């Protein structure tokens, strides 16, 4: 897909991608120990590592963080039951377990952990109706289904006989709404991020026939607002992270050209922080690593020059997904 | 999920202010880190007392998303207090927890962990006050009427209340009605409340279950009125429009089997064409009569192209050594296929009886995988028969006429109800378009309604033609008023133009609204300059020998895989970035790809992977591909370099012409001029600038079709 499509008017030029500044921004994240913010987001540290390392890989700086140090840290976050916590001494959860696995696969360092135990942990969280709980406390959400299925797919363990994947497909289909989108649970309102996790799950499980691509593609393309940014639900504000949720979903449905890529590119680039590097949720706001990675992943998916290609399902570098042999599957 | 949604970046403060802030933060930080230390002691020592609980309280006030602390808190509560408490004490403890959560939710209404803790308390209480929860969530939705945590929680409470009343269906129904009224209320306050419209859609179905057909129709009329109110208030607001679309509903599309044919006898190969991409659930049954006994014929079904599990054209090849008699039967049961487009189904089983006595198929030279390619599919179909017995021996009932969806709630036995509703809604949307000619939503809805109406009439009727023409115009209008989504409208227009231009290829089937191949098939088709972005149904082209697609906006050549008979394809002046599917077109002799967007050597050879395996050399096919005026030429060092490079690949039978015909012609002229001794030529003719930002004109050129 070309970034240059769809240009209907000659807007003022979009700003440049501040590649080096973003690298520095991510490298500096772990040096802010005097900031309260650093400690208040401690439970997101493992997720943060996934966001940071993925952004760095897509920016073409895979070695910008000390790989050994990252792997060593992640190993300390794994619990006896196989799950990973959001930080050392934090309880295991599917959200952080997926992130840890993603980072280790990106670095090709699965050898550092006990993979069988990770699989045991993830499989143990499947419920009878096919959904997955986020942890042993039982909260369910389609996000956790994607975490589990994504993780098992990356580990090549979807064939595990303890799983019931048909139930999972049926459950996701029950989350489909009147507008063709998907929510967090049956009856839950359609939301672009929940659409991403449900479409992602169905793509990985080869069950995309349950999605009406024209109807959902229509709904997703209507997420784009006049300023080029995308929102997550009708009549809401735009946000850089939806660049990923919406665009990757459209890409899985083979309809990523249904929005204006030139305008979205410009919107993401305008949300860059020119002083510190990093990308914010929208222009003029504080940058963070979450919006940085999803902004960059969005740009990569639109073929922005100089970025490493991202995989639309797994949100990891395309070459990593090719290396582990999943690129041809979908 | 992340930390800084919506946090404004503040201007650099004065140094003394920065210092004061840092000191303030540093004190808070010290306090926080102290608490964390104590938490670690609590965890390590497994303390389950009041002091331990207080630590979690203090930490959660500061960091409500520190989920591990919520877990620790629940463990303390359970093991330290609840396990040994009587009912009243336990209830008091849970009530305190609910108060604690409520107080924090006001500050962080989007924290998943807090809502979660609340559910845990209620689910463990002996007598949870679900009704009170409803009051609480009402307040939240008053503050933020779109908070999806609030709405999710509301639905959760209703589910719990329904569980309590599971023996009293009237109570459950009353509750659904009350919830429905709640959404009415919210929608009247703000027509843009999409969350309320959504919830309404989930409730309406429930309420309708207990209604008579008349009641349903009356409630549906009310819904249309509500929608009308909303769209006349703000026609640009998508909430009500999306609800409107759902109310109107969409007729379930049926899968059509266009035809089947034998394409090779040794080994036996059979092709089956569908009108859309399907996946095989079970292999279609192939059987043959040997001495009056039907026996199964072993073999394998594969879709054309590199992904053999998905496609609109399927080829059966018999297992080596299998014997077949004078007729072969192909049976396709409804359960055998599933559509890639959600909601489409094969309505009834289809059976083809194919003759294999007269083995007089035209042999063509140079196929890659097939020995012979058959005649028109329809000529080979002796019979389409039905109903047929399923694998278990039962006869599948063939529906006399399928039910027609009137709305998502009601369906009628006849077409009239559906047509009446569509016509009424079409008239109503037209009125709005009169008032708001540049608003995209009514135009989109009108186009959808018209397309639905087209499903109810014969494809060759005047009405179908008028609908197609109007819909194409509507897409043009949409492209001009909503350029952000231009390519979506172009894809839709492509489908409409394609349907209009391929009418001679298909006809209505006896099993309306299904379609099948017309008895006479064109050998050539000219679709130049139609503004096509893709080929929606390439199985239609299975009989073509020659196809002209010059000057469209086509991006992919993958459709070539289904063109089993095609010799010549002109795709010059399109937007193709990569050669794909070329190796699967078995009869291809000439492919013009001049002036496309192929930019890399890899994207050229990608089309010839098959041939790189050396198969071409064995069959001796010869294909000529024109690649002039593609960016690859400039990018990879010019025509001569590429010519040499292709020669080095050493493929026999594939001739690639890197120079454009125009350039060759110019060179020839120049040579002739030189021969004549006239040397006044500047030699600038051969230079063509490639522009990466090219877009083919989207104007559709109307060409009178005289068939």
């Amino acid at each position: 897909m070309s970034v240059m499509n769809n240009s209907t008017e000659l807007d003022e030029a979009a700003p440049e991608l501040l590649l080096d500044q973003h690298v520095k921004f991510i490298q500096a994240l772990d040096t802010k120990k005097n900031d309260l913010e650093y400690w208040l987001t401690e439970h997101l540290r493992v997720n943060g590592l996934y966001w940071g390392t993925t952004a760095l890989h897509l920016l073409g700086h895979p070695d910008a963080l000390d790989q050994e140090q990252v792997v060593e840290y992640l190993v300390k976050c794994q619990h006896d039951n196989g799950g990973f916590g959001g930080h050392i001494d934090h309880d295991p959860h599917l959200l952080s377990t997926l992130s840890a696995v993603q980072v280790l696969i990106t670095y090709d360092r699965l050898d550092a952990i006990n993979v069988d135990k990770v699989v045991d942990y993830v499989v143990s969280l499947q419920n009878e109706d096919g959904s997955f709980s986020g942890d042993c406390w039982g909260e369910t959400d389609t996000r956790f289904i994607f975490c589990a299925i994504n993780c098992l797919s990356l580990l090549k363990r979807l064939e595990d006989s303890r799983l019931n994947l048909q139930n999972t497909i049926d459950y996701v289909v029950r989350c489909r709404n009147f507008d063709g989108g998907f929510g967090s649970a049956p009856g839950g309102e359609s939301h672009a991020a929940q659409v991403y996790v449900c479409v992602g799950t169905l793509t990985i499980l080869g069950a995309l026939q349950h999605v009406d691509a024209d109807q959902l593609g229509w709904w997703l393309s209507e997420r784009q607002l006049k300023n080029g940014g995308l929102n997550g639900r009708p009549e809401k504000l735009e946000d850089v992270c939806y660049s990923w949720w919406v665009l990757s979903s459209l890409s899985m449905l083979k309809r990523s050209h249904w929005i204006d890529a030139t305008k979205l590119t410009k919107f993401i680039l305008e949300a860059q922080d020119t002083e510190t590097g990093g990308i914010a949720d929208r222009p003029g706001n504080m940058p963070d690593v979450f919006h940085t990675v999803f902004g960059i992943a969005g740009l990569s998916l639109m073929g922005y020059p100089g970025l490493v290609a991202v995989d639309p399902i797994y949100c990891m570098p395309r070459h990593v997904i090719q290396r582990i042999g999943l690129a041809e599957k979908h | 999920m992340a930390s800084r949604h919506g946090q404004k970046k503040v201007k650099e403060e004065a140094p003394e202010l920065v210092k004061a802030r840092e000191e303030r933060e540093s004190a808070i930080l010290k306090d926080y880190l102290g608490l964390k230390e104590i938490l670690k002691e609590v965890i390590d020592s497994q303390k389950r007392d009041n002091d331990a609980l207080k630590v979690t309280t203090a930490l959660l006030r500061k960091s409500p998303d520190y989920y591990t602390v919520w877990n620790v808190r629940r463990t303390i509560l359970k093991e330290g207090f609840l396990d040994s408490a009587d009912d009243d004490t336990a209830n008091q403890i849970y009530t305190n927890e609910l108060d604690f959560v409520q107080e924090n939710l006001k500050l962080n209404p989007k924290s998943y962990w807090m809502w979660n803790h609340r559910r845990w308390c209620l689910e463990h209480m002996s007598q949870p006050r679900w009704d009170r929860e409803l009051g609480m969530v009402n307040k939240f939705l008053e503050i933020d009427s779109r908070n999806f945590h609030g709405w999710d929680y509301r639905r959760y409470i209703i589910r719990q209340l329904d569980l309590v009343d599971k023996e009293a269906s009237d109570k459950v129904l009353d509750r659904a009605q009350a919830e429905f009224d709640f959404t009415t209320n919210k929608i009247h306050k703000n027509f843009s409340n999409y969350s309320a419209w959504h919830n309404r859609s989930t409730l309406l179905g429930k309420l309708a279950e207990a209604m008579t057909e008349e009641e349903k129709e009356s409630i549906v009329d009310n819904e249309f009125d509500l929608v009308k109110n909303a769209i006349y208030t703000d026609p640009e607001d998508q909430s009500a429009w999306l609800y409107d679309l759902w109310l109107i509903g969409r007729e379930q599309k049926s899968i059509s089997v266009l035809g089947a044919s034998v394409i090779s006898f040794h080994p036996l190969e059979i092709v089956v064409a569908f009108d859309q991409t399907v996946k095989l659930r079970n292999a279609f049954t192939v059987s043959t009569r040997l001495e009056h006994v039907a026996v199964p014929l072993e073999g394998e079904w594969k879709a054309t192209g590199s992904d053999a599990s998905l496609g609109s054209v399927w080829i059966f090849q018999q297992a080596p050594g299998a014997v077949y008699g004078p007729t072969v039967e192909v049976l396709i049961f409804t359960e055998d296929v599933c559509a890639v487009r959600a909601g489409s189904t094969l309505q009834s089983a289809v059976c083809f009886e194919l003759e294999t006595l007269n083995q007089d198929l035209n042999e063509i030279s140079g196929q890659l995988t097939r020995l012979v390619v058959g005649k028109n599919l329809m000529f080979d179909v002796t019979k389409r028969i039905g109903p047929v017995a399923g694998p278990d021996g039962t006869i599948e009932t063939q529906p006399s006429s399928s039910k027609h969806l009137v709305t998502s709630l009601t369906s009628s036995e006849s077409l009239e109800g559906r047509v009446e509703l569509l016509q009424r809604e079409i008239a109503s949307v037209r009125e709005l378009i009169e008032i708001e000619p540049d608003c995209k939503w009514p135009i989109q809805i009108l186009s959808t309604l018209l397309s639905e109406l087209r499903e109810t009439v014969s494809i060759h009727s005047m009405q179908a033609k008028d609908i197609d023409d109007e819909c194409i115009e509507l897409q043009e209008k949409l492209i001009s008023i909503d350029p952000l989504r231009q390519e979506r409208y172009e894809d839709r227009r492509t489908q409409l133009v394609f349907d209009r231009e391929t009418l001679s290829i298909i006809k209505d089937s006896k099993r309306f609204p299904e379609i099948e191949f017309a008895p006479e098939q064109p050998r050539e088709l000219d679709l130049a300059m139609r503004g096509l972005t893709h080929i929606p149904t390439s199985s239609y082209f299975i009989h073509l020998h020659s196809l002209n697609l010059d000057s469209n906006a086509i991006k992919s050549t993958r459709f070539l895989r289904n063109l089993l008979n095609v010799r010549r394809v002109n795709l010059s002046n399109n937007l193709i970035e990569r050669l794909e599917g070329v190796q699967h077109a078995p009869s291809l002799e000439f492919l013009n790809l001049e002036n496309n967007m192929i930019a890399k050597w890899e994207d050229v050879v990608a089309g010839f992977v098959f041939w790189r395996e050396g198969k071409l050399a064995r069959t001796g096919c010869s294909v000529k591909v024109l690649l002039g005026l593609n960016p690859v030429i400039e990018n990879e060092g010019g025509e001569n370099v590429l010519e040499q490079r292709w020669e080095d690949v050493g493929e026999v039978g594939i001739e690639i012409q890197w120079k454009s015909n125009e350039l060759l012609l110019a060179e020839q002229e120049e040579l002739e001029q030189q021969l004549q001794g006239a040397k006044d030529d500047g030699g600038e003719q051969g230079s063509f600038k490639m522009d990466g930002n090219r877009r083919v004109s989207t104007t559709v050129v109307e060409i009178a079709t005289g068939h």
Side-chain angles (χ1 to χ4, degrees):
Chain A
M1 182 174 143
S2 161
V3 197
M4 300 308 185
N5 282 345
N6 249 337
S7 165
T8 48
E9 56 202 84
L10 279 175
D11 293 50
E12 48 194 296
E16 290 282 300
L17 176 68
L18 306 170
L19 200 144
D20 293 334
Q21 288 201 52
H22 296 320
V23 173
K24 285 191 191 116
F25 174 78
I26 293 164
Q27 283 175 320
L29 287 171
D30 206 40
T31 63
K32 309 215 164 145
K33 294 185 180 158
N34 290 328
D35 290 2
L36 185 60
E37 181 82 12
Y38 177 87
W39 298 98
L40 290 181
T41 55
E42 199 180 52
H43 60 282
L44 293 170
R45 194 85 8 115
V46 170
N47 299 126
L49 264 179
Y50 159 67
W51 298 327
T53 53
T54 304
L56 290 170
H57 277 76
L58 297 180
L59 289 166
H61 284 72
D63 301 321
L65 293 182
D66 184 334
Q67 183 182 323
E68 268 317 305
Q69 221 179 318
V70 170
V71 174
E72 223 171 87
Y73 164 80
L74 286 177
V75 168
K76 286 187 200 151
C77 295
Q78 191 177 23
H79 289 250
D80 288 341
N81 68 1
F84 285 79
H87 182 52
I88 298 165
D89 290 337
H90 286 225
D91 285 352
H93 197 283
L94 269 183
L95 289 168
S96 32
T97 301
L98 171 64
S99 287
V101 166
Q102 285 172 314
V103 174
L104 290 166
I105 287 184
T106 300
Y107 282 142
D108 201 7
R109 285 303 312 277
L110 275 184
D111 61 281
I113 55 155
N114 186 332
V115 170
D116 287 338
K117 283 201 145 192
V118 180
V119 175
D120 289 344
Y121 176 72
V122 176
V123 169
S124 76
L125 292 171
Q126 191 180 29
N127 302 310
E128 248 176 50
D129 60 8
S131 67
F132 281 81
S133 298
D135 62 11
C136 64
W137 294 94
E139 185 191 4
T140 60
D141 187 308
T142 44
R143 287 179 303 147
F144 307 146
I145 295 181
F146 183 63
C147 287
I149 298 300
N150 186 346
C151 186
L152 293 171
S153 174
L154 287 171
L155 296 172
K156 311 283 181 62
R157 296 295 192 89
L158 276 174
E159 270 82 50
D160 194 295
S161 60
R162 293 166 291 180
L163 291 167
N164 186 334
L165 297 179
Q166 189 54 50
N167 280 1
T168 299
I169 293 171
D170 293 346
Y171 184 90
V172 172
V173 172
R174 282 172 53 213
C175 298
R176 197 178 55 200
N177 292 318
F178 79 112
D179 49 22
F182 293 85
S184 60
E189 182 184 343
S190 298
H191 179 293
Q194 307 286 358
V195 168
Y196 166 73
V197 297
C198 290
V199 170
T201 299
L202 294 175
T203 304
I204 292 174
L205 295 180
L208 215 51
Q209 73 268 19
H210 295 292
V211 180
D212 186 328
D214 282 337
Q215 188 192 16
L216 182 52
W218 182 354
W219 189 85
L220 286 166
S221 72
E222 293 296 343
R223 299 304 108 241
Q224 187 164 38
L225 304 174
K226 283 211 172 76
N227 63 9
L230 303 169
N231 62 15
R233 294 187 281 158
E235 312 298 325
K236 298 285 280 186
L237 281 179
E238 69 285 354
D239 182 322
V240 160
C241 65
Y242 293 112
S243 311
W244 179 257
W245 314 127
V246 173
L247 199 57
S248 60
S249 302
L250 281 170
S251 175
M252 286 186 264
L253 301 173
K254 309 269 188 289
R255 279 156 180 77
S256 49
H257 56 291
W258 281 11
I259 56 162
D260 189 325
T262 311
K263 287 212 159 175
L264 177 58
T265 301
K266 188 162 172 274
F267 172 77
I268 297 172
L269 292 173
E270 278 168 353
Q272 296 180 109
D273 191 314
T274 52
E275 289 159 17
T276 61
I279 301 176
D281 58 352
R282 66 185 67 96
N285 284 358
M286 293 287 281
D288 61 62
V289 63
F290 173 86
H291 289 95
T292 303
V293 68
F294 291 119
I296 290 168
L299 291 174
S300 163
L301 204 53
M302 292 186 282
Y304 192 89
L307 288 177
V308 172
V310 69
D311 184 274
I313 307 164
Y314 294 95
C315 197
M316 286 163 64
R318 185 82 183 145
H319 64 83
V320 172
I321 299 303
Q322 274 163 347
R323 187 190 72 217
I324 61 173
L326 288 177
E328 281 71 43
K329 261 193 80 187
H330 309 296
Chain B
M1 197 156 161
S3 41
R4 281 170 162 172
H5 272 107
Q7 201 175 323
K8 281 263 175 283
K9 190 169 169 111
V10 284
K11 284 259 180 312
E12 198 56 49
E13 300 155 284
E16 60 272 20
L17 284 176
V18 174
K19 193 160 176 268
R21 183 174 53 84
E22 278 176 359
E23 274 172 14
R24 208 167 52 237
E25 273 198 5
S26 149
I28 302 171
L29 183 56
K30 206 175 148 209
D31 183 30
Y32 183 74
L33 293 179
L35 281 169
K36 269 187 48 118
E37 279 303 306
I38 308 172
L39 177 81
K40 198 164 163 39
E41 281 168 35
V42 166
I43 295 172
D44 290 346
S45 65
Q46 303 197 340
K47 256 170 55 176
R48 304 280 187 258
D49 57 12
N50 222 4
D51 288 345
L53 196 66
K54 275 186 185 153
V55 178
T56 65
T57 308
L59 267 172
L60 289 170
R61 284 217 167 95
K62 291 182 165 55
S63 184
D65 286 339
Y66 194 163
Y67 65 92
T68 305
V69 183
W70 286 108
N71 298 346
V72 171
R73 185 178 181 90
R74 282 189 287 268
T75 309
I76 294 170
L77 284 170
K78 195 173 170 309
E79 293 174 9
F81 300 89
L82 292 162
D83 282 353
S84 54
D86 59 39
D87 230 30
D88 284 350
T89 321
N91 258 328
Q92 192 50 53
I93 291 169
Y94 284 124
T95 308
N96 291 345
E97 286 304 292
L98 293 177
D99 291 344
F100 174 60
V101 170
Q102 190 159 351
E103 157 207 336
N104 280 287
L105 266 179
K106 280 179 194 148
L107 305 170
N108 295 286
K110 289 183 176 171
S111 169
Y112 285 96
W113 313 106
M114 272 192 276
W115 290 102
N116 211 20
H117 188 66
R118 195 165 185 91
R119 291 188 190 199
W120 178 83
C121 294
L122 291 157
E123 281 166 22
H124 286 81
M125 287 172 91
S126 60
Q127 280 174 331
R129 293 285 308 275
W130 296 111
D131 50 337
R132 267 186 47 189
E133 292 304 295
L134 211 50
M136 191 238 16
V137 84
N138 269 346
K139 279 185 202 141
F140 269 92
L141 291 178
E142 254 156 51
I143 299 163
D144 176 3
S145 64
R146 294 293 307 279
N147 183 335
F148 72 86
H149 291 277
W151 282 99
D152 275 348
Y153 193 63
R154 184 175 188 96
R155 283 183 286 265
Y156 162 75
I157 299 160
I158 299 297
R159 269 201 308 280
Q160 299 300 328
L161 282 165
D162 284 352
L163 267 178
V164 176
D165 293 327
K166 66 171 176 271
E167 303 300 328
S169 60
D170 51 331
K171 273 194 179 171
V172 172
L173 205 61
D174 286 350
R175 190 169 293 119
Q177 184 63 50
E179 284 303 289
F180 185 77
D181 297 342
F182 180 79
T183 67
T184 314
N185 202 324
K186 286 278 175 224
I187 289 167
H188 277 305
K189 270 191 196 142
N190 178 6
F191 283 128
S192 294
N193 192 333
Y194 191 73
S195 306
W197 288 105
H198 159 78
N199 213 30
R200 195 173 181 84
S201 79
T202 67
L203 293 159
L204 200 52
K206 244 181 249 171
L207 291 173
E209 276 172 29
M211 286 181 191
T212 63
E213 283 302 316
E214 286 97 63
E215 283 175 321
K216 269 191 218 169
E217 267 170 40
S218 124
I219 196 171
V220 166
D221 285 342
N222 285 342
E223 292 307 287
F224 278 120
D225 285 344
L226 182 66
V227 165
K228 226 132 280 170
N229 257 329
I231 59 190
Y232 271 87
T233 310
D234 181 2
E236 293 284 358
D237 181 351
Q238 57 192 282
S239 312
W241 285 115
L242 288 168
Y243 189 77
D244 190 35
L245 262 188
W246 172 72
L247 273 182
I248 292 158
R250 285 176 310 161
E251 185 111 23
Q252 201 180 45
K253 304 268 190 299
S254 45
I255 299 175
S256 296
V257 190
L258 298 171
S261 168
V262 172
I263 51 168
S264 152
F265 290 107
H266 309 290
L268 185 75
E269 287 189 337
I270 297 166
V271 63
V272 173
F274 292 87
D275 70 333
Q276 55 190 281
T277 304
V278 296
K279 237 183 185 177
L280 239 63
R281 274 213 200 93
N282 318 301
F284 312 139
T285 315
V286 183
S287 59
T288 185
R289 275 182 193 280
L290 290 175
E291 287 162 13
H292 306 294
V293 185
V295 292
L297 190 62
E298 298 289 318
E300 199 183 357
W301 284 100
K302 275 185 184 170
T304 56
S306 41
D307 182 1
S309 67
L310 207 69
S312 54
V313 174
W314 288 82
I315 293 172
F316 170 84
Q317 192 177 59
Q318 73 171 115
V323 181
Y324 58 90
T327 59
V328 172
E329 272 188 11
V330 179
L331 254 167
I332 302 165
F333 294 105
T334 53
E335 285 301 303
D336 290 347
V337 287
C338 72
V340 172
R341 184 203 295 158
S344 296
T345 53
L346 186 63
Q347 297 287 334
S348 54
V350 180
C351 175
F352 293 97
E353 193 179 86
L354 305 170
E355 297 224 10
T356 50
L357 265 182
N358 175 15
Q359 304 200 350
D360 174 31
L361 295 176
N362 308 320
E363 201 151 336
I364 57 157
S365 61
Q367 308 84 356
L368 299 175
T369 53
R370 254 136 251 138
L371 290 172
V372 275
V373 171
K375 296 182 282 186
N376 273 352
L377 292 185
M378 280 311 295
F379 296 161
D380 290 301
V381 180
T382 317
K383 277 188 228 163
R384 276 169 180 260
I385 49 173
V388 284
D392 55 354
T394 55
I395 300 282
E396 254 187 84
T397 49
Q398 213 159 342
S400 51
S401 70
S402 56
K403 281 199 169 186
H404 298 283
L405 208 62
V406 173
T407 72
S408 309
L409 301 172
T410 59
S411 60
S412 82
E413 296 293 338
S414 72
L415 267 179
E416 284 92 61
R418 178 78 183 151
V419 171
E420 197 186 310
L421 172 95
L422 290 170
Q423 281 172 340
R424 190 185 77 197
E425 289 305 303
I426 286 169
S428 146
V429 179
R430 283 194 201 280
E431 271 173 38
L432 185 57
I433 294 175
E434 291 269 309
I435 310 166
E436 301 271 355
D438 288 330
C439 179
K440 71 170 186 171
W441 279 96
I443 301 175
Q444 294 196 86
I445 302 300
L446 177 60
S447 167
T448 309
L449 288 166
L450 287 170
S451 297
E452 279 296 315
L453 190 63
R454 190 186 188 274
E455 297 290 319
T456 65
V457 299
S458 160
I459 52 169
H460 289 284
S461 65
M462 256 334 266
Q463 200 183 355
K465 190 191 170 296
D466 291 345
I467 287 174
D468 282 348
D469 291 348
E470 182 175 4
C471 283
I472 290 168
E473 262 173 50
L474 292 176
Q475 306 310 312
E476 301 286 349
K477 174 81 184 170
L478 286 166
I479 290 169
S480 71
I481 58 180
D482 185 26
L484 284 181
R485 280 155 282 266
Q486 174 180 350
E487 296 205 31
R488 173 152 65 82
Y489 305 127
E490 284 175 3
D491 280 355
R492 179 74 196 125
R493 190 190 52 192
T494 294
Q495 175 80 58
L496 292 158
V497 171
F498 182 86
D499 286 348
R500 191 174 67 178
E501 302 283 348
T502 54
L503 274 177
S504 64
I505 292 173
I506 47 161
K507 66 177 181 88
D508 287 319
S509 158
K510 279 189 202 111
R511 303 182 308 192
F512 184 80
E514 286 172 43
I515 50 168
E516 58 192 47
F517 280 130
E520 294 289 339
Q521 289 289 321
R523 293 290 183 197
E524 290 179 4
L525 196 63
D526 186 352
L527 292 176
M529 293 192 283
R530 300 296 202 280
L532 302 177
T533 59
H534 64 289
I535 302 299
T537 322
S538 54
S539 53
Y540 283 11
F541 293 164
I542 202 167
H543 299 100
L544 287 181
H545 284 203
S546 171
L547 176 61
N548 184 9
L549 291 166
D550 177 47
S551 298
N552 281 287
I554 295 169
K555 290 181 199 152
S556 164
T557 58
R558 285 191 66 189
F559 68 92
L560 289 173
R561 66 186 186 145
N562 284 337
L563 277 56
L564 299 180
N565 277 309
V566 84
R567 273 81 160 156
R568 295 179 69 84
V569 179
N570 185 358
L571 273 164
S572 52
N573 306 308
N574 277 281
L575 299 171
I576 287 156
E577 292 179 352
R578 196 178 159 81
L579 263 97
E580 285 172 287
V582 182
Q583 71 268 33
H584 299 291
S587 316
L588 192 65
E589 291 164 8
F590 177 82
L591 177 62
N592 186 348
L593 282 169
E594 281 193 356
N595 198 19
N596 273 277
M597 306 289 279
I598 301 164
K600 288 186 304 221
W601 172 256
E602 297 82 67
D603 294 331
V604 174
V605 289
F608 304 112
V609 181
F610 195 84
W611 290 336
R612 275 198 298 185
E613 291 165 4
K615 294 200 178 164
L616 186 79
R618 280 206 299 274
T619 54
C621 177
S622 86
V623 180
K624 185 168 181 178
V625 184
L626 307 191
L627 282 177
L629 298 176
N630 276 283
V632 63
I633 291 154
E634 206 174 284
N635 295 347
E636 307 273 354
E639 290 94 347
N640 296 337
V641 175
L642 283 162
E643 224 161 86
Q644 189 55 49
R645 214 163 152 187
W646 183 245
E647 214 166 278
D648 292 345
V649 173
E651 288 295 348
V652 186
I654 308 158
E655 187 194 333
I656 297 187
Q657 183 182 306
W658 303 95
K659 283 183 185 170
S660 70
N661 269 338
E662 222 172 315
L663 184 61
L664 281 174
L665 215 65
E667 279 179 359
Q668 209 176 343
E669 261 174 40
E670 201 179 333
L671 199 70
E672 278 166 18
Q673 281 173 0
Q674 276 172 4
L675 284 173
Q676 285 166 8
K679 296 192 175 180
D680 52 346
D681 196 77
E684 283 292 306
Q685 267 168 295
S687 148
F688 290 90
K689 256 201 117 52
M690 287 310 301
D691 175 5
N693 198 9
R694 186 168 52 97
R695 246 198 110 74
V696 168
S697 153
T698 56
T699 320
V700 180
V701 180
E702 298 286 339
I703 293 175
T705 43
H707 46 72

